[in-house]
């Protein structure tokens, strides 16, 4: 039986299409422990209503008028860091998704997901985890992120490296690389022939040293630093 977070899960829905907003609310509102507190028609309204209601999660359409979802996410990450953003897009391959994750979104879903997947993603980001399928994230980054420099090495200070990457040990760099390639914890443990608990410890250290909040931001940092090279575009 799945255990849900004890703290109340309040949700703000931001989408410029009224029918989409209503549909999302009808999916989320009946769920145990979930309460939809507000709906916004653009990013500016989303930020204002988030300041007022302090929701646990904002379900944020990326492409909206007045202020788009990327800009709204960046403002929420700066002003309300405890508010988690779950980005939505009509397309699963959307360059705006990478921008939203870089701005601080904790997850991404295409709009054609099932109600069960939406609810699960909302609960996941509320719990503090990233809700992005690892292999979808690597596809997005391979398509839309260009690495600016050579792969970082432990102990070097290349300009392309994220802050703190020079502090990583060789094992932590390897864990970081495998995260960026889309492996989950169990797959990393198998690849490195170490225990899952050791992988978790390494990941905690990687996140702390890179100053990233979750897996999605760690993967973006890996591509931007050149640790993982984007696939050639056909």
């Amino acid at each position: 039986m799945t255990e849900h977070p004890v703290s109340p899960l309040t949700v703000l829905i931001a989408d410029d299409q009224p029918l989409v907003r209503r549909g999302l609310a009808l999916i989320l509102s009946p769920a145990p422990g979930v309460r939809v507190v507000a709906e916004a028609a653009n990013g500016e309204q989303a930020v204002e209503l988030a300041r007022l209601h302090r929701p646990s999660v904002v379900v944020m359409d990326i492409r909206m008028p007045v202020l788009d979802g990327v800009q709204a996410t960046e403002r929420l990450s700066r002003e309300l860091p405890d508010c988690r953003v779950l980005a939505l897009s009509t397309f699963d391959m959307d360059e705006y998704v990478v921008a939203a994750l870089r701005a601080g979104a904790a997850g991404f879903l295409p709009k054609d997901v099932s109600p069960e997947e939406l609810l699960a993603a909302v609960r996941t980001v509320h719990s503090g985890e990233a809700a992005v399928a690892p292999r979808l994230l690597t596809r997005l980054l391979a398509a839309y992120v260009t690495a600016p420099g050579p792969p970082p090495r432990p102990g070097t200070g290349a300009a392309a490296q994220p802050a703190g990457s020079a502090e990583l040990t060789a094992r932590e760099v390897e864990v970081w690389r495998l995260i960026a390639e889309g492996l989950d914890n169990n797959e990393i443990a198998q690849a490195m022939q170490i225990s899952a608990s050791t992988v978790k410890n390494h990941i905690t250290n990687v996140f702390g040293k890179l100053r990233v909040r979750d897996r999605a931001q760690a993967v973006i940092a890996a591509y931007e630093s050149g640790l993982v090279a984007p696939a050639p575009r056909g």
Side-chain angles (χ1 to χ4, degrees):
M1 188 174 187
T2 302
E3 292 184 7
H4 301 310
V6 175
S7 56
L9 203 176
T10 54
V11 179
L12 186 155
I13 296 169
D15 195 293
D16 60 327
Q17 299 181 48
L19 285 177
V20 173
R21 291 198 306 273
R22 183 81 328 242
L24 293 171
L26 288 173
I27 290 169
L28 295 172
S29 294
V34 177
R35 183 163 57 93
V36 175
V37 294
E39 298 178 21
N42 58 60
E44 188 72 46
Q45 286 184 9
V47 173
E48 292 173 359
L49 289 170
R51 289 182 186 134
L52 178 64
H53 295 281
R54 302 296 174 109
S56 310
V57 176
V58 177
V59 177
M60 180 88 74
D61 184 26
I62 293 180
R63 297 173 182 264
M64 290 187 292
V66 184
L67 188 72
D68 67 32
V70 175
Q71 295 170 300
T73 296
E74 192 278 329
R75 284 172 58 176
L76 288 175
S77 296
R78 186 176 64 249
E79 298 176 21
L80 300 172
D82 291 336
C83 175
R84 308 279 288 178
V85 174
L86 176 62
L88 296 181
S89 174
T90 304
F91 310 103
D92 62 355
M93 293 296 287
D94 186 343
E95 68 271 25
Y96 276 55
V97 172
V98 175
L101 294 169
R102 187 184 290 114
F108 157 70
L109 288 177
K111 285 186 177 179
D112 61 357
V113 297
S114 68
E116 293 78 14
E117 288 171 319
L118 172 65
L119 180 59
V122 167
R123 292 196 187 282
T124 296
V125 298
H126 177 49
S127 73
E129 298 294 325
V132 188
R135 287 178 176 80
L136 173 58
L137 181 58
T138 55
R139 281 176 56 218
L140 281 164
L141 295 180
Y144 297 118
V145 173
T146 301
R153 298 179 190 73
T156 64
Q161 295 183 47
S165 63
E167 302 169 15
L168 296 175
T169 67
R171 296 287 270 178
E172 289 165 354
V173 169
E174 180 64 8
V175 169
W176 183 23
R177 182 182 68 79
L178 293 173
I179 289 172
E181 290 180 355
L183 275 66
D184 63 26
N185 287 13
N186 289 332
E187 291 168 334
I188 293 171
Q190 292 175 8
M192 297 183 67
Q193 297 187 329
I194 57 180
S195 70
S197 61
T198 300
V199 171
K200 288 181 182 178
N201 290 337
H202 283 318
I203 290 174
T204 298
N205 291 337
V206 169
F207 287 4
K209 291 177 181 179
L210 294 179
R211 300 176 182 86
V212 298
R213 185 169 60 182
D214 53 38
R215 226 176 176 90
Q217 291 189 344
V219 174
I220 290 172
Y223 273 83
E224 292 182 331
S225 72
L227 179 68
V228 177
R233 300 184 192 184

